[in-house]
């Protein structure tokens, strides 16, 4: 066997001794906001990257996924963000582990995206627009608590001041 850098056929990673690494490209998502829709059931997404995602699966869902992953090379699913289908994905089962925070035995299942990467900029845009809408709704609800007589007075005063400014500017 040669000691050159080109000979890597015998390179093997011992999974038992392998240390888990936190991937820097994974982005956590707001709980309850993102799902993979497999037509028969949905799985909540915990984090995403352009090339994969992690989901929470109940024990019976995990068993279905595990069995199906041996029968098919890829899964088809829709990426759903707050009830909006954003992208159709082809996914491959990557790995799984127990969710240590779960009291119901949920598993964290990792999928890699096959083909077109996950459109992160679209998801970020949806997150930002949802935040803007939420702020506007809060503003409208707060504005409803202001008495109408006060709102009318402020509007009339604003109108009077704008007309005064226009006359002064002339």
């Amino acid at each position: 066997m040669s000691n050159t850098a080109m000979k890597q056929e015998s390179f093997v990673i011992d999974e038992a001794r392998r240390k888990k690494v936190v991937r820097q490209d994974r982005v956590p998502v707001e709980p309850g906001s993102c799902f993979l829709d497999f037509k028969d059931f949905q799985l909540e997404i915990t984090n995403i990257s352009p090339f994969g995602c992690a989901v929470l699966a109940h024990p019976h869902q995990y068993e279905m996924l595990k069995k199906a992953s041996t029968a098919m090379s890829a899964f088809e699913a829709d990426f759903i963000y707050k009830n909006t289908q954003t992208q159709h994905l082809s996914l491959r089962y990557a790995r799984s582990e127990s969710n240590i925070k779960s009291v119901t035995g949920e598993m964290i299942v990792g999928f890699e995206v096959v083909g077109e990467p996950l459109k992160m900029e679209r998801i970020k845009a949806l997150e930002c627009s949802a935040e803007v809408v939420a702020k506007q709704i809060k503003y409208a609800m707060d504005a409803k608590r202001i008495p109408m007589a006060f709102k009318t007075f402020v509007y009339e005063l604003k109108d009077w001041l704008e007309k005064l400014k226009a006359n002064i500017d002339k």
Side-chain angles (χ1 to χ4, degrees):
M1 183 169 158
S2 171
N3 290 333
T4 66
M6 297 303 288
K7 287 286 189 181
Q8 296 180 8
E9 291 87 26
S10 64
F11 180 74
V12 177
I13 296 175
D14 180 6
E15 289 294 327
R17 294 179 45 202
R18 179 179 178 188
K19 294 185 182 195
K20 291 184 181 179
V21 178
V22 177
R23 291 183 48 168
Q24 298 299 315
D25 62 341
R26 294 285 177 159
V27 178
V29 295
E30 177 187 339
S33 66
C34 293
F35 296 88
L36 284 180
D37 185 357
F38 291 93
K39 302 298 178 217
D40 296 331
F41 60 96
Q42 287 188 342
L43 297 176
E44 182 178 356
I45 298 172
T46 60
N47 64 54
I48 58 175
S49 79
F51 307 108
C53 64
V55 298
L56 295 175
H58 292 285
H60 67 281
Q61 293 168 327
Y62 171 70
E63 290 304 321
M64 281 190 329
L65 286 171
K66 208 49 182 144
K67 186 183 285 185
S69 70
T70 59
M72 56 171 62
S73 61
F75 295 94
E76 297 295 317
D78 288 329
F79 187 95
I80 309 293
Y81 177 78
K82 292 195 176 183
N83 299 321
T84 301
Q85 191 267 348
T86 65
Q87 189 174 355
H88 185 76
L89 299 171
S90 183
L91 303 163
R92 185 176 312 138
Y93 174 87
R95 68 185 194 119
S96 61
E97 61 184 53
S98 295
N99 181 4
I100 58 173
K101 296 178 184 176
S102 175
V103 294
T104 59
E106 287 177 316
M107 298 290 289
I108 299 172
V109 180
F111 288 101
E112 66 177 306
V113 176
V114 179
E116 182 181 16
L118 197 57
K119 295 180 179 172
M120 301 290 287
E121 66 282 347
R122 182 182 292 173
I123 296 160
K124 188 65 180 166
L126 287 169
E127 283 178 334
C128 291
S129 60
E131 187 178 320
V132 167
V133 168
K135 285 180 181 178
Q136 280 303 113
I137 289 171
K138 183 182 179 327
Y139 168 77
M141 297 306 284
D142 289 346
K144 276 186 175 181
R145 293 189 295 210
I146 299 172
M148 186 54 81
F150 184 74
K151 288 181 194 176
T152 303
F153 172 76
V154 170
Y155 174 76
E156 288 172 352
L157 180 60
K158 178 182 176 237
D159 183 56
W160 186 84
L161 289 170
E162 285 174 347
K163 287 184 175 137
L164 176 64
K165 180 186 182 309
N167 287 332
I168 290 173
D169 288 346
K170 284 182 188 176

